[in-house]
Amino acid sequence: MRVFVTRQLTDGAASAMGDLPASVEVFEGGGAPDRSELLEGARGAAALLTMVTDEVDEAVLDAAGDDLRIVANHAVGVDNIDLAAAAERGVVVTHTPGVLDEAVADLTFGLVLATSRRIGEADRMVRSGTPWVWGPRVLIGLDLSAGATLGIVGLGRIGMAVARRARAFGMRILATGSRASSAEARDLGVEPADLGALLDASDVVSLHCPLTDSTRHLIGAAELRRMRPGAILINTARGRVVDEAALVAALGDGTIAAAGLDVFEHEPQVHPGLLKLDNVVLAPHIGSAGEATRDRMGQLAIDNIAAVLTGKDPLTPVSA
């Protein structure tokens, strides 16, 4: 049996690959495999350890053939995998839920702070040598602890972790999703809301929903117009949840005040309009990029592969 890993893992996770009951081939190209390299690497593999940027469709599954038993995705989201096609072929798909919640919530709140207090703009001003002197009107931003409202779109595990951080800042918290009515959410002071009411009332809107057919472009021109003129949009979920062209327009004309983005609609390409705006903070999909977190993600993917290849149930399977 052979396992194909599409990217170099962290040292902590990579050390566990030697315990797999199969030979391991790690893509050595330095970045992500292109389409032909992914198809070639999948050929005859019993297991694929993939990243969220690897499109695992029917062609990849067919290249692997009847030997393929598991696709272990090194991510929580599995929108890069054709789940129906995998199920038709009897291929197990797994992901890495739970182990990255706190890291993504940390990054989310980092973006909230960076945008609300205009830290990126301040850094660029100082680095550029722009003359400045302290004054009451210089780079005024949003005081989170002065009654600001956070709207969480999709209150799952990560959204709940963000809510805990927001509560520490004394923010009012609105949230969509069935979990917004749970006892845990109530204990944090979360108020359930539908999307429209959340957009109307929130100073900061943070996206934490999975990418599905129903959430693609969930935030478009109409939704951005519903937000407050001084509001901030944060996206650490999936880029295609937001209509990026509409966001560029809304940021440019003052429909909303700012955005903090860790994901992009056509990742890794970024809309050129975003690169020209001062009121947006951009990060290259680093939500889970804590060393311990990435170790745990890789270890969980490897543990799923080991379980399936030895005839056991996967630890964190995904249903089609």
Side-chain angles (χ1 to χ4, degrees), residues 24 89 103 115 163 203 209:
V24 177
R89 291 160 174 77
T115 50
D203 298 293
C209 52

Side-chain angles (χ1 to χ4, degrees), residues 151-154 174-177 191-202 205-209 214-220 222-224 226-227 233 241:
I152 299 174
V153 179
L174 306 178
T176 69
E191 302 172 39
D194 62 30
L195 180 61
L198 182 150
L199 294 173
D200 290 340
S202 298
V205 174
S206 190
L207 305 179
H208 299 285
C209 52
S214 62
T215 63
R216 185 171 281 103
H217 282 191
L218 180 69
I219 304 299
E223 290 73 26
L224 291 163
R226 289 198 68 161
M227 292 173 64
L233 180 70
V241 173

Side-chain angles (χ1 to χ4, degrees), residues 247-269:
L247 177 60
V248 169
L251 289 166
D253 65 16
T255 299
I256 65 172
L261 307 174
D262 187 44
V263 290
F264 303 93
E265 187 172 1
H266 302 291
E267 192 173 312
Q269 285 73 40

Side-chain angles (χ1 to χ4, degrees), residues 32-178:
D34 62 23
R35 184 63 176 172
S36 62
E37 290 167 331
L38 179 58
L39 289 168
E40 182 58 32
R43 204 169 309 282
L48 301 176
L49 199 164
T50 56
M51 309 297 148
V52 70
T53 51
D54 300 317
E55 183 181 1
V56 182
D57 55 10
E58 288 189 335
V60 173
L61 297 170
D62 288 342
D66 294 338
D67 291 330
L68 185 63
R69 297 165 63 180
I70 177 173
V71 177
N73 214 35
H74 191 284
V76 174
V78 289
D79 48 278
N80 59 309
I81 299 172
D82 188 333
L83 298 179
E88 288 173 4
R89 291 160 174 77
V91 175
V92 173
V93 176
T94 65
H95 61 156
T96 60
V99 297
L100 50 74
D101 301 349
E102 301 299 329
V104 176
D106 284 348
L107 190 278
T108 298
F109 225 81
L111 291 174
V112 172
L113 289 167
T115 50
S116 64
R117 293 302 305 274
R118 302 173 66 179
I119 295 171
E121 294 173 70
D123 179 79
R124 287 189 293 274
M125 185 181 79
V126 173
R127 288 178 184 276
S128 69
T130 301
W132 64 278
V133 64
W134 189 93
R137 299 173 67 91
V138 176
L139 289 173
I140 294 174
L142 172 68
D143 282 319
L144 299 180
S145 57
T149 297
L150 172 68
I152 299 174
V153 179
L155 189 70
R157 289 182 303 271
I158 295 172
M160 198 70 77
V162 173
R164 291 195 294 271
R165 287 153 176 77
R167 186 185 184 190
F169 277 79
M171 299 181 76
R172 180 191 180 199
I173 308 166
L174 306 178
T176 69
S178 58

